[in-house]
Amino acid sequence: MADELNGVSPAQPDKADVLKDTPPPGRKKRRSVRRKLLYGLGGLVLVCCLLVGLGALRLWLSPLSVSSLLTQIEEAVVDQLPAGQMLDIEDAQISLSESGSLALRLSGVKLSEGGVTTSVCAADRSGDRAV
């Protein structure tokens, strides 16, 4: 009853108790920024895993044509060939091999030296074996 005479109702907590429970003004903001950063990084990791999984599924279903990279592939191989030999590739595909590793499949491969041309029907180079 003495509290009611002083103008404080018994249901209201003391100001000292309220101040003990509230964090300093800057600390709450730092937690919020950390939480947002962690959620953002978690979302980024989830999106990356989803993209890798979808890419693996795409390769598992059918090969992926990389015809746009034919000039780079030919240049890399020609650098390894002896002088005077030329290489021509019709198509290149990336696929999954039987063991699950990536494989580069070349079709329409022609090797020329002087006037002699040798044709290879298909070439396969995977991480575990060469055919």
Side-chain angles (χ1 to χ4, degrees), residues 15-85:
K15 287 184 179 181
D17 291 337
V18 172
L19 291 177
K20 287 180 188 175
D21 294 338
T22 58
R27 187 170 182 180
K28 188 173 185 180
K29 189 179 276 188
R30 278 185 269 159
R31 283 185 182 168
S32 176
V33 170
R34 264 192 225 146
R35 181 173 290 153
K36 287 179 183 178
L37 184 63
L38 286 175
Y39 283 144
L41 287 175
L44 183 65
V45 167
L46 180 67
V47 167
C48 288
C49 289
L50 186 64
L51 288 175
V52 168
L54 288 174
L57 178 66
R58 169 64 174 91
L59 288 175
W60 180 68
L61 292 174
S62 65
L64 181 65
S65 179
V66 288
S67 299
S68 59
L69 299 176
L70 282 177
T71 56
Q72 288 89 351
I73 295 171
E74 287 176 352
E75 288 174 1
V77 174
V78 166
D79 290 342
Q80 303 296 319
L81 293 175
Q85 291 186 347

Side-chain angles (χ1 to χ4, degrees), residues 1-10 12:
M1 183 153 208
D3 289 337
E4 290 177 6
L5 293 176
N6 291 332
V8 177
S9 66
Q12 292 179 343

Side-chain angles (χ1 to χ4, degrees), residues 93-106 123-131:
Q93 297 177 339
I94 295 176
S95 65
L96 289 178
S97 66
E98 292 81 19
S99 66
S101 61
L102 287 177
L104 177 64
R105 299 181 190 276
L106 305 175
D124 181 5
R125 176 67 181 139
S126 61
D128 55 343
R129 61 185 176 90
V131 174

Side-chain angles (χ1 to χ4, degrees), residues 83-94:
Q85 291 186 347
M86 296 297 296
L87 181 73
D88 184 38
I89 303 171
E90 279 184 25
D91 191 25
Q93 297 177 339
I94 295 176

